[in-house]
Amino acid sequence: MDTEKCAALLCALEEGPLARAAEKLGYTPSGISRMVAALEEELGFPLLHRSRGGVLATGECEALLPALRQMAYQAECCRQTAAALRGLEQGSITVGANYHFYSRQMAHLMARFRERHPGIVFQTIEGTSTTLAAALREHRADLCVISRRDGSHQWLPLRRDPMMVMLSPAHPLAAAEAVPIHLLETESYIEIFPGRETDNSRILAENDIHPGDRFAGVEDNFSAMAMVEAGLGISLVNGLIAGTLTGDVVFRPLDPPQYVEIGIATPPTETMSPAARRFLAFVRENIKG
């Protein structure tokens, strides 16, 4: 099976419209379409549902995705190793970071690394720690700064980060040194990224806390801050995130204190591409916890 066709299919699924995938890979849209059609003919069934809005994986394609990603990843590792044997430094590294504090650091580290190794191309992805951990498993990312998740990835701890309650200065609990965690069940609670596993949802689950009926859901920390400012409720954020929110809100730790461990997750060293291994060594030397 042609791994270039596998990579084209995976890019089409990530980008949506075939034209966007073609632009990213340097092909024409018809070229991408022919590669996918050839792969479908080889396998004996359709791989994509096509529409004006883009493409989606068929059920058969979903079942094949882990194997296709593994093939494309191994082909990239082989290409990078061959380039190194020829005395060249080439490759692509995908980096994810769930926290703005580390996103900025990683951007500067990527720029410094590119100065030394101009043949390396970087890509970035975003998401919660849980989605980024999944990206590592599926070979869609090479290195991610996340809070700790179970899995076979390597782990380099960076910091122990406290969970903080975000309140309006006028809220009665703003005068307290810490907020008893059980009060999250009775206060109007603003959930960030509702329905997804986050540090917030994991802390609530670990402590068997179930916010009451009076809660709202928002899709980012700044929207949560706006609602807290307006007196619509309280919310829960990481200490690192609290440091980036500068609105008219205050932050108090939980009682008892709750922490998450933040670090760098990568695939096992022996499965990493040569470029990713070199970048990880550079990050280990230069990142600030």
Side-chain angles (χ1 to χ4, degrees), residues 3-16:
T3 56
E4 191 173 0
K5 293 185 179 69
C6 294
L9 172 68
L10 293 171
C11 186
L13 288 171
E14 291 172 3
E15 296 297 325

Side-chain angles (χ1 to χ4, degrees), residues 16-122:
L18 291 181
R20 194 180 303 164
E23 181 180 356
K24 184 174 182 178
L25 294 177
Y27 295 106
T28 63
S30 61
I32 290 284
S33 184
R34 285 195 298 271
M35 293 171 77
V36 173
L39 197 56
E40 290 176 324
E41 183 177 355
E42 179 180 352
L43 292 170
F45 44 74
L47 294 169
L48 297 178
H49 294 299
R50 295 166 173 83
S51 68
R52 290 183 179 180
V55 295
L56 294 172
T58 63
E60 293 85 354
C61 183
E62 289 282 359
L64 282 175
L65 281 179
L68 294 172
R69 289 191 176 109
Q70 181 70 19
M71 289 179 63
Y73 180 74
Q74 292 299 333
E76 173 63 14
C77 289
C78 184
R79 187 182 72 81
Q80 290 186 22
T81 301
L85 291 171
R86 297 195 305 272
L88 304 173
E89 287 188 325
Q90 297 178 355
S92 173
I93 302 172
T94 301
V95 177
N98 186 31
Y99 306 98
H100 180 70
F101 176 84
Y102 286 110
S103 296
R104 296 186 65 188
Q105 277 204 60
M106 294 304 296
H108 287 291
L109 291 177
M110 286 187 277
R112 289 169 56 191
F113 190 80
R114 277 290 304 275
E115 291 175 0
R116 303 183 187 183
H117 310 284
I120 303 299
V121 176
F122 281 99

Side-chain angles (χ1 to χ4, degrees), residues 45-252:
F45 44 74
L47 294 169
L48 297 178
H49 294 299
R50 295 166 173 83
S51 68
R52 290 183 179 180
V55 295
L56 294 172
T58 63
E60 293 85 354
C61 183
E62 289 282 359
L64 282 175
L65 281 179
L68 294 172
R69 289 191 176 109
Q70 181 70 19
M71 289 179 63
Y73 180 74
Q74 292 299 333
E76 173 63 14
C77 289
C78 184
R79 187 182 72 81
Q80 290 186 22
T81 301
L85 291 171
R86 297 195 305 272
L88 304 173
E89 287 188 325
Q90 297 178 355
S92 173
I93 302 172
T94 301
V95 177
N98 186 31
Y99 306 98
H100 180 70
F101 176 84
Y102 286 110
S103 296
R104 296 186 65 188
Q105 277 204 60
M106 294 304 296
H108 287 291
L109 291 177
M110 286 187 277
R112 289 169 56 191
F113 190 80
R114 277 290 304 275
E115 291 175 0
R116 303 183 187 183
H117 310 284
I120 303 299
V121 176
F122 281 99
Q123 301 180 64
T124 60
I125 58 174
E126 298 179 349
T128 65
S129 292
T130 298
T131 57
L132 291 176
L136 286 173
R137 289 194 303 273
E138 298 166 358
H139 300 300
R140 293 185 289 110
D142 298 293
L143 182 154
C144 293
V145 182
I146 60 176
S147 60
R148 190 157 198 162
R149 295 291 187 270
D150 293 333
S152 60
H153 48 258
Q154 291 187 125
W155 181 252
L156 174 65
L158 295 175
R159 69 188 296 152
R160 191 165 174 256
D161 196 42
M163 298 301 295
M164 308 292 288
V165 180
M166 178 165 55
L167 310 108
S168 162
H171 194 287
L173 290 172
E177 292 186 4
V179 176
I181 193 168
H182 66 86
L183 292 183
L184 296 180
E185 291 192 310
T186 57
E187 292 289 326
S188 295
Y189 182 70
I190 298 165
E191 184 179 13
I192 303 171
F193 299 127
R196 279 169 273 181
E197 185 181 68
T198 62
D199 293 339
N200 300 359
S201 70
R202 286 164 64 94
I203 289 294
L204 294 177
E206 288 168 9
N207 289 274
D208 197 27
I209 299 297
H210 306 279
D213 294 333
R214 297 176 299 162
F215 75 94
V218 295
E219 290 297 320
D220 62 79
N221 297 300
F222 293 97
S223 296
M225 180 181 68
M227 295 185 73
V228 171
E229 279 184 322
L232 294 174
I234 66 176
S235 192
L236 192 62
V237 296
N238 298 78
L240 273 178
I241 293 173
T244 68
L245 300 175
T246 57
D248 187 20
V249 293
V250 297
F251 299 94
R252 297 291 181 264

